[in-house]
Amino acid sequence: SFTGPDGANVRPIEGGKWKLSDDSQQISFSLNVPEKLTRRDVYIDAGTELSLTGRVYTQSELDRLNANNYEAREELWKAGGEIGDVYDRANASKKWNEETGKWERRYASENPLSFARKQLTYWGAKAKQSQALNQRPDINTLSDRGVLPEEEGGMYMAKGGIVRVGENGPVCGTWSAQPITTSPASYRGGN
């Protein structure tokens, strides 16, 4: 249903088949439009099948992506700390040598090969952390956790699913969904 210039416009929609991919990362389902739908200059003919697909995340997949991100972040912090230690030693205050009567460096200079290896380790850790962060979805793009019969622990649906006319037809829109819960709407976020 939708609200148009003539008020509420209610038309039946029939649910079709749905499927969760074998890797539990994509849901697809269809909706059938038995009567013509018209809103302003947009219409959907009677008998049209709409195919909807979207990315879903299981709790175990989100846990794995979060763990990968935390591990990569720790590696980056460790590698960054090692480079920071090199700079700290190089810029440390000098100490007075009584025997020579001169100010001297507190620490020996870092071996250039060792420093280059630490930089390469840092850049590799930075790339790994960036990749882990890109694989993990932004929490603001996910639905609340919902239940599907085939998946224990629930699923999260990503916003921005694709709507097509027919299974392989042209893209005609996007969709998102929130599970039906008993929580008041004010506890589910304001998206």
Side-chain angles (χ1 to χ4, degrees), residues 79-92 105 107-111 114-115 118-119:
E82 289 178 5
I83 289 180
D85 290 345
V86 170
Y87 285 117
D88 288 347
R89 287 191 299 272
N91 295 320
R105 290 181 170 259
Y107 306 100
S109 296
E110 183 79 15
N111 178 322
S114 172
F115 184 68
K118 288 177 182 176
Q119 281 187 314

Side-chain angles (χ1 to χ4, degrees), residues 116-138:
R117 186 172 36 257
K118 288 177 182 176
Q119 281 187 314
L120 287 173
T121 301
Y122 174 79
W123 292 332
K126 190 170 185 175
K128 181 178 177 182
Q129 203 269 337
S130 177
Q131 181 182 18
L133 196 57
N134 288 336
Q135 290 175 347
R136 192 175 84 162
D138 180 352

Side-chain angles (χ1 to χ4, degrees), residues 72-97:
R73 185 180 64 190
E74 290 296 324
E75 287 179 27
L76 180 62
W77 286 351
K78 181 181 176 190
E82 289 178 5
I83 289 180
D85 290 345
V86 170
Y87 285 117
D88 288 347
R89 287 191 299 272
N91 295 320
S93 62
K94 295 183 178 182
K95 65 179 180 178
W96 181 255
N97 185 332

Side-chain angles (χ1 to χ4, degrees), residues 135-155:
Q135 290 175 347
R136 192 175 84 162
D138 180 352
I139 192 90
N140 295 317
T141 66
L142 296 178
S143 70
D144 295 337
R145 185 170 56 189
V147 179
L148 285 177
E150 297 178 9
E151 197 58 48
E152 191 174 316
M155 304 284 287

Side-chain angles (χ1 to χ4, degrees), residues 146-165:
V147 179
L148 285 177
E150 297 178 9
E151 197 58 48
E152 191 174 316
M155 304 284 287
Y156 298 84
M157 292 188 187
K159 293 180 181 175
I162 302 295
V163 180
R164 294 181 181 276
V165 177

Side-chain angles (χ1 to χ4, degrees), residues 96-108:
W96 181 255
N97 185 332
E98 290 290 336
E99 294 175 11
T100 61
K102 294 181 180 179
W103 290 100
E104 297 177 347
R105 290 181 170 259
R106 291 186 180 271
Y107 306 100

